[in-house]
Amino acid sequence: ILNVEQSPQSLHVQEGDSTNFTCSFPSSNFYALHWYRWETAKSPEALFVMTLNGDEKKKGRISATLNTKEGYSYLYIKGSQPEDSATYLCASMNTNAGKSTFGDGTTLTVKP
Amino acid sequence: KAGVTQTPRYLIKTRGQQVTLSCSPISGHRSVSWYQQTPGQGLQFLFEYFSETQRNKGNFPGRFSGRQFSNSRSEMNVSTLELGDSALYLCASSLSWGGLNEQFFGPGTRLTVL
């Protein structure tokens, strides 16, 4: 059974703090990892699609790294802003390309 | 560019009934994936369609089915509804199938089964 775990479950930070979350996934037959941001009352928004070991991707103040050999990915947010408050989800695809397994997400709250 | 649209947005059904949900992808996107989100199970993959063919299927019973039309619009059907089918159903479109492209999600259909 494929298990994708995210930690921490929730995080409260002050505006301006930098933060990071972890996504752990099975390393065997890895195919791709997706990161999403899901704000309340909105649809999930794609952040990154990562496939190669050692991949590093960046979008504004958000960046992500990927280690497929040990099965983890980190998401970093530099200088958190209140608008970064959301649940951040990762989804792993192993063996069956296109069949995603999602983690439960990390809920970030950024206080002004 | 118009985003992914889903209809209806809200639906109330009773046990034993069937339901059909619709998803229109972003223009030019040929892959549509469906997901179920429940408080207890989180977000779970249902199936993915590309060029009118189901490419991947999640671990759901046969009561859950789908199809895709030549214009890439997709429908999913749930027959013999159970209370546990109450959930938010999301669809997402992407350029191609297989998970190497970004997925763009619709607003979802909230299904309540009484």
Side-chain angles (χ1 to χ4, degrees), chain B residues 7 56 67 69-70 75 87:
Chain B
T7 56
N56 283 291
R67 58 177 175 168
F69 302 94
S70 58
E75 288 181 347

Side-chain angles (χ1 to χ4, degrees), chain A residues 22-88:
Chain A
T22 304
C23 172
S24 300
F25 54 87
S27 56
S28 61
N29 301 311
F30 172 82
Y31 185 74
L33 186 88
H34 289 233
W35 279 102
Y36 299 93
R37 173 170 59 201
W38 197 352
E39 295 178 65
T40 304
K42 293 188 178 180
S43 309
E45 173 196 354
L47 288 174
F48 304 112
V49 180
M50 310 183 79
T51 56
L52 300 176
N53 185 47
D55 236 357
E56 290 188 29
K57 299 220 171 177
K58 188 175 180 182
K59 188 182 283 189
R61 294 179 291 98
I62 304 177
S63 61
T65 61
L66 180 68
N67 183 321
T68 62
K69 295 186 188 304
E70 296 181 41
Y72 65 84
S73 176
Y74 293 139
L75 188 79
Y76 302 91
I77 302 179
K78 185 178 176 182
S80 301
Q81 300 296 309
E83 57 265 32
D84 295 329
S85 296
T87 295
Y88 291 82

Side-chain angles (χ1 to χ4, degrees), chain B residues 14-98:
Chain B
T14 56
R15 277 182 298 174
Q17 287 187 309
Q18 75 159 17
V19 67
T20 300
L21 312 181
S22 180
C23 173
S24 294
I26 290 171
S27 177
H29 285 194
R30 296 172 61 195
S31 170
V32 174
S33 297
W34 287 90
Y35 300 89
Q36 181 197 64
Q37 201 244 355
T38 59
Q41 298 293 321
L43 201 54
Q44 292 186 285
F45 171 78
L46 279 156
F47 25 66
E48 178 181 24
Y49 285 87
F50 178 81
S51 290
E52 302 175 66
T53 302
Q54 187 180 90
R55 303 291 174 159
N56 283 291
K57 189 177 190 307
N59 300 324
F60 280 81
R63 300 186 296 107
F64 292 81
S65 63
R67 58 177 175 168
Q68 186 180 35
F69 302 94
S70 58
N71 62 357
S72 295
R73 189 177 71 84
S74 176
E75 288 181 347
M76 70 162 277
N77 185 277
V78 188
S79 62
T80 319
L81 284 165
E82 301 177 359
L83 294 179
D85 297 333
S86 294
L88 177 67
Y89 291 89
L90 291 164
C91 77
S93 75
S94 60
L95 284 170
S96 185
W97 74 286

